[in-house]
Structure formats: C-alpha cells, structure tokens
C-alpha cells in the first residue's frame, strides 16, 4: 500500500516532533534509506568549503581539496551486519563554534524491531524514546522522555482489521491528548484523507490525497490541506518516474500559486546530478558531480550552485 509519509530529519530532537512527522517516528534507518551498497559498517562524510574568494566552475577534472579548505560539517553513520543504523553523529563548525549531536538506535535483536532512540549533545543525553509494538509488529506506542527520564510526550497508534493505520494520538507529559490525526482509505487501500484535531478535539484541518499513474509509468501524487471552513490552506504535488525517483515537487499556497518548485535529474547510480529550485524570491540551479568506489557508493560529491562550486563532500566507507 502506498502512503504519504513526511520523513523526519534524522537528528531532530524527539521533543520537537511535529504532527506531520508522527507516522514515521518508528521507522528504522537502513542501507536502503541511505542508498548504500556493499554493506559498509561505517560511513564518514566531511563537507568542505573552498577558500574565500575562490571561484570554481564545473570542469572536466575532479576538484582537489587542500588544507586551506574549511571544514563545515562531519557526519558519521554506523551500521550492524544486517544493515540497520546503530549510531549517527553530526559535528558542525559554524563561526568557530563546534556542535556535536548524536543519535543512538537500539533493537530487540540484530536487524529486528527498533526499540529505543537516544539523542545526545556531546555526551549529554537530551531526550530519548522507547517503542512498543503489537503482535503483528506494528508500532503501538512511541514514549518520549527528557534527559532526566521524565515524561515528555507519548504517541499512540490504532489500526483496523485490515492492519491500516486509523488514528494517531499525541499526549503530553500529563497523558492528556494534544493532537490527533484520523486516516481514511479507499476500498483499494490507498490513503485518501487525514483529519487533524487540536487539544480541544476540534477539527482544525483536513488533508486530501490523490495518487495516479499515467501511461508512461509516471506516478503523480498530490495533497491539499483545508481549514475548518473547508478553505484551501496549501497543497503539494510530487511526480515519480517508473524507477521511483522523484522528478518534480511543488508547493502551492491558498491562492493556488506555486510558491516553490523543484526538478531533479539522476545518473545511472540513482544519484541526483541536477536540481532546479524556483521560489518566490529565488531561482537556483544545482549540479552534483560524483566519484565512486568499487561498491558503487560515492566517495566525493561536488556541489555547484548557479555554476559556482559551493562545497565538496568527501566520504570514506569501511566495509
């Protein structure tokens, strides 16, 4: 069954989860999520900025970095032998200030259900979560606590006889409902509508979904959000090709005007090589150039914005 899911930012603190992210809280990250091949155990990525006043345009030869390049960010992912993510760390260097964020994942057994998530700033636990499942393996509860193991919030999940998600409830630290989402499906099992309620059990928004495939195999998915007076608030469309790659995305406002458009092109490895972004006050063209290892994982990615080099990402993988 195909559903619309907004994937949460990998290192987002669980206490800051928004309503639209509640569906995917229990989603474990694995090789397929990161498009990795060859079963690496660690992946380290360093994002480097060219020296000030250095202008580099796309050229035939790969760009060579050096000691004068500035380190902006360093990320590391650690996987177990079954390919699920155990630990993700991000070290950022902004204005000579260093920030280190780490997320640790625990499982019932290697490669099995995700049981717990811990968020750390440096070595200090900032918040954590425990996950509970039903006999069918579906997520029943997501229980979040702060750094001192005090309740932060709890999310509960309800399913119908067809094992389709029907209700998500978010409860605060006092176990009082503060948000609720109800799901409706077509006879085919496709999601058609979500209804959103506030802490007073008042319906504040309705989101309607549409999924269509054309004769060329392109998948067109769209959603539109309406307020309690059934007036359009915003909308979103996405187009995927026959291989499942997103080729177009667009956002519209309440007046049905496109506020942002993104278009993508891919190489044979399935990596984005060109991206076009058009917004209300900007137009940006991004070009990505890669180098790959023997497992077909990229080890270098040059990022060009409007024909000038923005960053180079160097990646090392241990298998």
């Amino acid at each position: 069954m195909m559903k619309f899911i907004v994937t949460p930012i990998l290192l987002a603190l669980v206490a800051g989860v928004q309503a639209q992210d509640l569906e995917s809280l229990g989603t474990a990250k694995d090789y397929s999520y990161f498009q990795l091949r060859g079963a690496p155990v660690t992946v380290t990525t360093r994002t480097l900025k060219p020296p000030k006043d250095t202008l580099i345009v796309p050229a035939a030869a790969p760009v060579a970095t050096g000691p004068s390049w500035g380190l902006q960010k360093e990320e590391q992912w650690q996987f177990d032998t079954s390919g699920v993510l155990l630990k993700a760390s991000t070290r950022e260097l902004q204005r000579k200030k260093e920030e280190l964020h780490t997320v640790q994942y625990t499982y019932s057994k290697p490669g099995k259900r995700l049981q717990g998530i811990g968020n750390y700033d440096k070595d200090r636990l900032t918040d954590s979560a425990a996950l509970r499942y039903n006999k069918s393996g579906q997520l029943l509860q997501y229980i979040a606590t702060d750094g001192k193991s005090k309740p932060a919030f709890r999310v509960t999940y309800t399913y119908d006889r067809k094992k389709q998600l029907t209700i998500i409830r978010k409860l605060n630290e006092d176990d009082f409902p503060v948000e609720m989402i109800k799901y409706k499906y077509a006879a085919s099992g496709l999601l058609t509508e979500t209804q959103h309620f506030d802490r007073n059990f008042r319906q504040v928004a309705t989101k309607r979904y549409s999924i269509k495939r054309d004769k060329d195999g392109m998948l067109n998915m769209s959603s539109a959000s309406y307020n309690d007076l059934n007036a359009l608030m915003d909308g979103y469309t996405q187009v995927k090709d026959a291989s499942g790659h997103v080729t177009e995305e667009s956002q519209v406002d309440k007046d049905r005007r496109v506020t942002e458009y993104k278009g993508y092109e891919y190489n044979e490895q399935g990596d984005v090589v060109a991206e076009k972004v058009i917004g209300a006050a900007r137009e940006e063209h991004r070009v990505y150039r890669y180098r790959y290892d023997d497992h077909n994982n990229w080890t270098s990615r040059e990022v060009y914005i409007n024909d000038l080099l923005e960053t180079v990402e160097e990646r090392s993988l241990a298998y």
Side-chain angles (χ1 to χ4, degrees):
M1 180 177 63
M2 187 172 300
K3 298 168 68 176
F4 286 72
I5 298 176
V6 178
T7 306
I9 298 173
L10 181 62
L11 294 177
L13 299 181
V14 293
V17 173
Q18 302 299 309
Q20 66 266 27
D21 297 327
L22 298 179
E23 187 173 341
S24 52
L25 284 173
T27 303
K29 308 295 186 297
D30 57 18
Y31 289 151
S32 62
Y33 179 86
F34 297 102
Q35 293 184 313
L36 293 169
R37 308 164 184 89
V41 291
T42 60
V43 179
T44 303
T45 305
R46 301 170 73 244
T47 301
L48 302 167
K49 186 86 173 175
K52 188 177 180 180
D53 299 327
T54 300
L55 301 179
I56 302 175
V57 298
V63 173
T65 60
S68 60
W69 287 59
L71 177 63
Q72 283 191 331
K73 182 170 64 175
E74 184 175 82
E75 298 175 274
Q76 186 175 88
W77 307 326
Q78 296 181 15
F79 302 88
D80 70 7
T81 54
S82 65
V84 297
L85 184 66
L86 297 176
K87 183 178 179 180
S89 299
T90 300
R91 182 168 67 98
E92 295 191 74
L93 301 169
Q94 300 291 342
R95 297 179 181 177
K96 298 183 180 180
K97 182 180 179 181
E98 179 177 319
E99 295 182 357
L100 177 62
H101 303 286
T102 302
V103 184
Q104 291 188 338
Y105 299 86
T106 56
Y107 300 84
S108 57
K109 295 178 181 179
K112 298 297 182 181
R113 296 173 188 165
L114 180 64
Q115 294 293 118
I117 303 171
N119 288 284
Y120 296 82
D121 281 342
K122 294 186 177 179
D123 294 326
R124 181 178 65 88
L125 179 67
T126 58
D127 51 68
S128 61
L131 293 84
R132 302 288 182 265
Y133 302 84
N134 62 20
K135 293 181 179 179
S136 298
Q138 295 172 302
L139 183 62
L140 278 183
Q141 293 191 63
Y142 182 97
I143 306 164
T145 57
D146 65 14
K148 297 181 180 180
S149 298
K150 293 181 180 180
F153 67 88
R154 183 166 64 96
V155 182
T156 64
Y157 302 81
T158 303
Y159 306 86
D160 62 17
R161 293 181 178 179
K162 296 180 181 179
K163 298 183 179 181
Q164 296 176 133
L165 180 65
T166 56
I167 300 176
I168 293 180
R169 292 184 180 90
K170 182 178 179 181
L171 303 95
N172 64 14
E173 66 275 14
D174 298 318
D175 227 26
F176 184 83
V178 293
E179 295 176 34
M180 182 170 68
I181 306 173
K182 289 186 176 181
Y183 294 76
K184 291 186 176 182
Y185 303 87
S188 62
L190 293 178
L191 179 65
T192 59
E193 182 178 296
T194 55
Q195 299 172 343
H196 301 254
F197 300 81
D198 64 12
R199 64 176 59 240
N200 298 314
F201 304 101
R202 181 175 66 94
Q203 186 173 343
V204 294
T206 300
K207 183 174 285 189
R208 300 188 180 105
Y209 302 86
S210 175
I211 302 176
K212 298 178 181 178
R213 190 180 295 276
D214 64 22
K215 61 181 181 180
D216 298 320
M218 302 291 283
L219 193 66
N220 292 270
M221 303 183 293
S222 63
S223 65
S225 297
Y226 301 84
N227 62 19
D228 57 340
L229 299 176
N230 205 34
L232 180 67
M233 295 191 297
D234 56 58
Y236 171 79
T237 61
Q238 184 184 83
V239 179
K240 290 185 177 182
D241 63 19
S243 299
H245 297 132
V246 177
T247 59
E248 295 182 27
E249 292 180 294
S250 60
Q251 299 273 358
V252 299
D253 62 15
K254 61 184 180 63
D255 297 316
R256 301 182 185 275
R257 293 176 301 191
V258 177
T259 56
E260 184 173 78
Y261 167 86
K262 293 183 178 180
Y264 305 92
E265 296 178 18
Y266 298 83
N267 60 14
E268 293 180 355
Q269 287 82 4
D271 293 315
V272 176
V273 293
E275 180 180 356
K276 184 177 184 180
V277 181
I278 301 176
R282 64 168 180 151
E283 181 171 341
E284 195 172 274
H285 297 266
R286 291 174 174 255
V287 174
Y288 303 89
R289 193 168 63 173
Y290 301 87
R291 279 178 282 176
Y292 293 87
D293 64 11
D294 294 338
H295 296 278
N296 226 20
N297 293 312
W298 65 262
T299 57
S300 175
R301 179 166 67 175
E302 300 168 14
V303 181
Y304 295 86
I305 299 180
N306 296 335
D307 293 326
L308 291 177
L309 182 66
E310 179 70 14
T311 58
V312 173
E313 297 168 279
E314 296 180 338
R315 195 161 77 171
S316 60
L317 302 94
Y319 296 93

